[in-house]
Amino acid sequence: MYDRLLASLGLAVIFAISCGIESYGQTASPDAELPALVRSAADGYVQPDKTQLARRLGELRQALGRLERYLAAAGANGQAWKRFLLVDEVKAELDRGLQADLSVLETAARRYRSGHAGLELPRFSQAGDALRVYIDTAALVRSNEAHSQFQTAIEQLAGGLEEYDATGSSEAWDKTAEAVAWLARYRQAPAVVQAVRGRFSRPNLYAQVSRDLLDAAIARPVDETASVRDVILGTRISGSGRTVGQVAIRLLPSRDTALFETVMRGTNYARTVGRNGPARIHSSAQTQIYGRKRFVLDGQGMRAYPASASATTQSTVRGISSTKRGLVDCLIKRVALKRVGEQKALSERIAARHAEQRFNARFESEAGGLLARVNDRIQGRDRHPLLRRGPSGDQIRFSTTEDALRVMAIEQPAGRLAAAQAPPDLAVPVSLSVRMHESFFNNLTEEIFAGRTLDQAQSERLALDVLGSIPAELRDAEREEAWSITFASRRPISVVIHDNTMSITVRGQRYTSGGRQYSGMNVTARYQLERRGPGMTAARQGELEIFPPGFVPGSGRRLALRQQTLRNLLKHRFEGVFPPEIVSEGLVLPGQAASAGTLELRQLTAEDGWLSVAWQQASGSRLAAAR
């Protein structure tokens, strides 16, 4: 009974997390003086010297030393990690000083971010971070162009801000974000970086689930039959009972966490026989029970208060018998009848307390499984290794009103930008809504995929974890040559949202197919989004755009034969990923939540970097019928 309720609630919560309170934080308003502030830092380039590089080298050696000691205690598995992370090769290059091959160090640094389970542990992350800092410092020390690159970044940042103030375009946002990322990576102009990030620091994901939708997905009747075993005032009781009732969810107003209760109201009808010596008391009982368990959900996970139940029992004696005969039988029944009358009120109170204890124990047992599943999901332990990245606990905010559960998140890794303005308002009351700024998707995919290689097997596992099934286009690839893609280190997968269109670009810096290697190529699909009845359509605008990085169609430049070959291969593969038309006839939630029925699309806008989608339960849904 209650386990199904908890599973449904967990699914609803996980759905909200996987998809975002307005008071998340104070955000700077657009500042016309910000471009001037940026340009004033043009002479502020700081060239790291050999002393700073030596300090970074010392920090890296200490981190590697701690990692090696940790791996030595792990036996063969630790040695395998050491080989995978190229620890010996990295140490050998570090011994070469300024002559170190930074490409070897880069290869090792990418492996620390490959997403394998365990790499999130402190010993690994500390070594990986120290290696990243050393590589960037060494690159500046050895570069003759770092100063000019700094000035280019400053001017690009100032120009991007001015363009964004004038147009609010995605292209201007991207210019700004790219320049800030360069300055942050190389630890230049920290005051400028902080000021710009302060302006572009609004939450970039909002989601909301109405109480009615949660209740429609979770609320259900209870009708269960179970055996009864108890001891009351020395009398052993056995029989059977039937519990009839209703399970529901109740949201409680809370500003900084999601606070809700699962509630059951029911009646247990029992027919039992009590055995006390030779006496047999045949009775029926009716127990009214009200039970609830309160949950708290925040960015760190889900916690629960102890279950609380209250019950009242009324019993009726249907008859008394004994195992004796004759006069003894009469005497036993007379004594038993008198004692039952004297103890009736007390025995009913005891029976009610026992019912409460059983109910609370069941609540606690079944809630434990839910807590483990939801916390694993929030903390990423049950996801594909690549998907363990994402907003940390302090970047996700939950809240509840009496009418809705809300989630708000900001995905803004160090040196990156989030949204500069609030999302568009919801036009109508809805059951479910998701409002996502393109920066959420772009920052998240950069965290997950930047510089990583994905092959056929990894793609299938990732699709299974994200979608719950392997799309046909991936299954069909099994009959073809083995392939892989190594994503670009900057914006590996990105979206641009504007004027009810969404452009999606996949940037690969290297591909393999059938043992052959190919250089970089970008694939872009542009979709026009349109609400149609209860659903939507996404119509691709023209053919897939497949060109090398920096290639300008129509410029007169021709692709090399090998580039043409790769272009044809990618067109064949990505046609299934980005079909000419994607049609939705409404939304059906997965698992137990499917009982809420079909959700009809009520709002679809894609403007100024924000994609806003909202659904309402269909008129024939269970909720509407209940109303």
Side-chain angles (χ1 to χ4, degrees), residues 550-563:
F551 184 86
V552 179
S555 63
R557 175 185 168 191
R558 298 176 62 85
L559 296 179
L561 179 60
R562 193 171 183 80
Q563 291 174 322

Side-chain angles (χ1 to χ4, degrees), residues 29 39 126 178 212 223 249 252 258 265 271 348 384 404 439 465 468 507 517 548 552 554 598 626:
S29 59
R39 288 194 173 94
Q126 290 166 4
E178 184 176 19
D212 287 341
D223 191 342
I249 184 173
L252 306 172
R265 299 177 186 271
R271 295 175 68 90
E348 288 177 343
H384 186 283
S439 63
D465 287 342
R507 296 176 177 85
Q517 289 196 10
V552 179
T598 301

Side-chain angles (χ1 to χ4, degrees), residues 69 73 152 335 417 456:
R69 290 190 293 273
T152 299
V335 172
L417 303 183
Q456 171 72 29

Side-chain angles (χ1 to χ4, degrees), residues 36 67 99 106 108-109 116 137 199 278 324 355 369 379 516 544 586:
L67 178 60
Q99 303 305 313
E106 281 285 0
H116 292 295
T137 305
R199 175 180 171 186
K324 305 299 182 178
Q379 296 160 14
R516 298 178 297 277
L544 294 176

